[in-house]
């Protein structure tokens, strides 16, 4: 009788150990999907905005606004949309922007022809915020095409980056087919 009890205890210990290992494996496996190795961590939008880092200054989601008629024609004007972040301890200023796809680029903000980015802050350069516009576009530019744009900051310096023309902001209409009976 004593022998059966010890065997039963041994089986309970083994079962508990196996159950613990199974639970630990499940927890570890489920935690892996939440990190940078997860499939969704690699996903990118169809036409992502450009990104750049220059010292303490970061430029995020840089795009040329979607053109009203689907393409910018030579001589037209297009707006650059982006967010600029200053992680530094001193203010910086966006003092110049240029592109080979435009005769000139106009900066207009509360400080005139420059945009101040305070220390540890960001500025949205879109909507009602400051404006940066490509004027006298030199060639046809369509959605998803890219052109090089150079940003010049007072403190951080200069960076050139390929910037895409944004996709349409609304969903294009779809056609629904009805199968014949």
């Amino acid at each position: 009788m004593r022998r059966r009890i010890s065997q039963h205890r041994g089986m309970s210990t083994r079962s508990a150990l196996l159950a613990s290992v199974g639970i630990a494996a499940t927890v570890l496996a489920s935690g892996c999907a939440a990190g940078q190795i997860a499939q969704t961590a690699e996903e990118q939008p169809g036409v992502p905005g450009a990104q750049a880092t220059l010292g303490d200054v970061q430029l995020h989601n840089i795009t040329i606004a979607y053109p009203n008629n689907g393409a910018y024609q030579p001589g037209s004007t297009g707006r650059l949309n982006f967010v600029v972040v200053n992680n530094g301890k001193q203010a910086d200023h966006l003092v110049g922007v240029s592109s080979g796809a435009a005769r000139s680029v106009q900066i207009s903000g509360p400080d005139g022809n420059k945009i101040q980015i305070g220390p540890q802050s960001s500025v949205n350069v879109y909507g009602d915020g400051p404006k940066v516009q490509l004027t006298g576009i030199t060639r046809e530019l369509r959605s998803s095409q890219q052109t090089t744009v150079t940003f010049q900051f007072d403190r951080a310096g200069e960076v050139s980056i390929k910037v895409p023309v944004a996709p349409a902001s609304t969903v294009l209409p779809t056609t629904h087919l009805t199968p014949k009976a």
Side-chain angles (χ1 to χ4, degrees):
M1 185 116 154
R2 186 179 273 210
R3 192 170 189 194
R4 281 188 182 170
I5 293 173
S6 64
Q7 283 179 348
H8 182 67
R9 284 184 189 159
M11 292 184 94
S12 294
T13 304
R14 237 180 285 141
S15 296
L17 180 61
L18 286 174
S20 298
V21 168
I23 291 170
T26 302
V27 169
L28 289 173
S30 66
C32 289
Q36 290 297 313
I37 301 172
Q39 285 179 328
T40 55
E42 300 293 323
E43 288 184 12
Q44 295 289 327
V47 181
Q51 314 289 328
T53 299
L54 186 63
D56 290 331
V57 173
Q58 297 175 344
L59 295 161
H60 296 281
N61 201 28
I62 313 162
T63 60
I64 301 169
Y66 182 78
N68 290 336
N69 298 323
Y72 287 106
Q73 298 303 318
S76 62
T77 298
R79 183 171 178 170
L80 279 173
N81 292 317
F82 59 96
V83 176
V84 60
V85 178
N86 180 0
N87 290 315
K89 294 180 180 178
Q90 297 179 325
D92 205 340
H93 294 85
L94 176 63
V95 294
V97 179
S98 62
S99 174
R103 284 193 289 275
S104 66
V105 180
Q106 306 298 316
I107 299 174
S108 44
D111 297 329
N113 61 353
K114 62 183 177 179
I115 298 171
Q116 179 176 330
I117 310 97
Q120 302 293 313
S121 65
S122 65
V123 176
N124 297 328
V125 184
Y126 58 84
D128 293 335
K131 292 183 183 176
V132 177
Q133 294 188 336
L134 303 170
T135 57
I137 291 177
T138 57
R139 63 181 170 90
E140 184 178 80
L141 286 175
R142 294 187 169 277
S143 179
S144 301
Q145 287 183 318
Q146 295 182 345
T147 189
T148 301
V149 177
T150 301
F151 295 85
Q152 184 178 359
F153 292 90
D154 191 35
R155 293 174 104 30
E158 190 174 285
V159 64
S160 294
I161 186 165
K162 288 194 177 282
V163 174
V165 177
S169 60
T170 58
V171 177
L172 299 175
T174 58
T175 303
H176 298 282
L177 301 175
T178 306
K180 291 184 179 181

